[in-house]
Amino acid sequence: MLRMPSCLLKLIRVVLSHKPWALFTLIFVFVSFAYHKLYLGMWEDPESRVPTYGSSAEISCAHSVPSPLNITRGPSPSAGNVFFVETSEQTTPSYLFSCSVESAARTHPASRVMVLMRGLAKKNTSLPKHWAFSLLSCFPNVEIQPLDLTELFSGTPLAQWYLQPQRHQEPHFFPVLSDACRIVLMWKFGGIYLDTDFIVLRNLQNLTNALGIQDYDVLNGAFLSFKPKHKFMKLCIQDFVQEYNGWVWGHQGPELLTRVFKKWCSIQTIESMTCQGVRALAQEVVYPIPWQEWKKLFEAVNASEFHKLLKNTYAVHIWNKLSHGAKLEIPSQALLAQLYSQFCPATYAKMKHD
């Protein structure tokens, strides 16, 4: 109920003594007074404020992440960590980076999702002001930490390799550095490693001591899942140093894993198989879209096609090296847009807002 001050009451009495403008003036004064009170009241009452994303670094968890997390909870396998690694100095994660971590966090509620970034200051406890860090901090199982390469490689043959200055001048240094990090993480700690251009569809913990077939006769390390101190990972570290060639793209990555697996199994050609406890997963499991067909990610698919394509898939590799420049309409029926919408809804909401 609005109260009129005494000065306003006196004004009304004066106005009423001067006709014929009395009624008009009275209405005008009352409407102005009411508007003034209501306008100020909206901004003075915190409960009346409408949340906005005025700063790109500020994301409201209540608006980004359901509570409790919208996760289908089945029997939870005993969980190792899920690792993501950023070996460049950049600290401005992309939508795809955010989606990768969010989708892993949602599908692995019992696991720690570790995001290790070389660009983060080691002694600074606060994260850079960026919307992706704010959004991912909403997930209780996500931890974002500095990547200390000297410490990570210590106690392995890669420690001496990393300290050689000439390595840092090689043309593929960052990809090679990423290749080194993933095999050492699997050797030292075990768990799951994922590149930051994966969208995770379901829990990966049952795929133990496994890696995926990229295409005919080639394994890829964008997904790895191993128990700690596994002999296969030890052989990968040894091969990394003994057969090192940082000037050839993929020599320390897919080609290394393919070489080691063929020796491990004493085979000439790789196919979906299990050999001495290590699994080469069928292509559809984590690489359902071949790299040669990456443009399919941007093509529209209906619900039936979507389900058929991904019915046996655990995660989808987006091949960001090839696809990063392609235009994605949001919202749309493009395969990639539907993956964002279903498996990283908080990131997707941010994309739509932007």
Side-chain angles (χ1 to χ4, degrees):
M1 190 71 179
L2 297 177
R3 291 185 178 181
M4 292 189 182
S6 58
C7 60
L8 185 57
L9 292 172
K10 290 179 181 179
L11 176 60
I12 292 171
R13 285 196 290 271
V14 171
V15 169
L16 288 175
S17 66
H18 294 79
K19 296 179 180 180
W21 299 101
L23 183 60
F24 173 79
T25 306
L26 179 61
I27 293 172
F28 176 79
V29 170
F30 179 79
V31 170
S32 298
F33 172 75
Y35 175 81
H36 179 75
K37 288 294 290 183
L38 289 174
Y39 180 82
L40 288 181
M42 178 182 294
W43 297 105
E44 289 170 358
D45 182 5
E47 298 299 321
S48 303
R49 294 179 184 174
V50 178
T52 65
Y53 297 106
S55 167
S56 64
E58 296 173 358
I59 298 288
S60 169
C61 292
H63 291 268
S64 300
V65 182
S67 182
L69 294 180
N70 183 21
I71 301 168
T72 303
R73 294 181 181 270
S76 190
S78 180
N81 293 332
V82 180
F83 292 99
F84 291 93
V85 174
E86 178 54 66
T87 53
S88 75
E89 299 286 349
Q90 74 92 13
T91 55
T92 55
S94 65
Y95 294 119
L96 182 53
F97 184 114
S98 175
C99 182
S100 296
V101 179
E102 179 186 347
S103 63
R106 289 182 181 275
T107 50
H108 297 78
S111 302
R112 287 196 308 168
V113 179
M114 306 290 294
V115 182
L116 306 177
M117 302 186 72
R118 190 173 173 219
L120 295 182
K122 296 179 179 63
K123 295 182 180 180
N124 191 349
T125 57
S126 61
L127 292 170
K129 291 188 178 299
H130 187 273
W131 66 264
F133 294 123
S134 181
L135 185 152
L136 295 173
S137 296
C138 293
F139 291 88
N141 57 335
V142 172
E143 296 184 23
I144 302 172
Q145 297 182 5
L147 173 62
D148 187 332
L149 291 168
T150 303
E151 181 181 351
L152 177 62
F153 294 145
S154 67
T156 77
L158 294 182
Q160 187 175 358
W161 164 82
Y162 178 64
L163 293 176
Q164 297 178 29
Q166 68 269 26
R167 301 300 181 209
H168 299 227
Q169 308 304 318
E170 293 171 351
H172 310 302
F173 176 67
F174 288 130
V176 168
L177 192 56
S178 178
D179 293 330
C181 288
R182 68 191 70 184
I183 59 177
V184 172
L185 283 168
M186 291 297 95
W187 162 249
K188 280 192 168 184
F189 307 107
I192 294 167
Y193 167 84
L194 290 167
D195 275 0
T196 56
D197 58 349
F198 259 108
I199 298 179
V200 186
L201 280 56
R202 61 182 77 175
N203 194 292
L204 297 160
Q205 293 288 359
N206 289 325
L207 305 179
T208 309
N209 299 331
L211 64 171
I213 297 175
Q214 168 185 297
D215 48 29
Y216 174 74
D217 202 35
V218 178
L219 293 167
N220 195 307
F223 158 81
L224 295 171
S225 177
F226 280 86
K227 292 182 178 180
K229 303 297 189 291
H230 196 283
K231 186 179 178 181
F232 183 85
M233 282 292 111
K234 183 178 181 179
L235 292 174
C236 288
I237 292 174
Q238 292 172 352
D239 184 281
F240 188 99
V241 176
Q242 293 168 3
E243 305 293 331
Y244 185 78
N245 187 341
W247 293 83
V248 177
W249 174 263
H251 185 81
Q252 302 302 117
E255 291 184 19
L256 180 152
L257 294 166
T258 303
R259 287 193 303 271
V260 174
F261 190 82
K262 285 182 176 181
K263 292 178 184 177
W264 178 264
C265 299
S266 300
I267 57 174
Q268 297 297 318
T269 303
I270 295 174
E271 57 187 26
S272 178
M273 61 190 300
T274 300
C275 181
Q276 296 189 65
V278 177
R279 287 191 280 177
L281 302 171
Q283 188 173 354
E284 62 186 359
V285 178
V286 286
Y287 304 109
I289 307 296
W291 67 266
Q292 302 93 328
E293 301 174 17
W294 66 266
K295 291 182 180 179
K296 284 186 176 180
L297 291 160
F298 298 85
E299 297 174 1
V301 295
N302 60 38
S304 175
E305 292 171 326
F306 185 88
H307 175 73
K308 182 179 179 180
L309 178 64
L310 302 176
K311 65 179 180 180
N312 296 318
T313 298
Y314 282 70
V316 180
H317 195 220
I318 308 302
W319 306 109
N320 187 55
K321 182 175 175 60
L322 300 169
S323 66
H324 69 276
K327 183 179 180 180
L328 178 64
E329 295 289 341
I330 295 291
S332 73
Q333 289 300 110
L335 174 59
L336 182 54
Q338 294 191 56
L339 289 170
Y340 274 112
S341 175
Q342 293 190 33
F343 299 102
C344 54
T347 301
Y348 183 70
K350 174 63 178 170
M351 294 173 75
K352 287 200 300 181
H353 177 270
D354 290 346

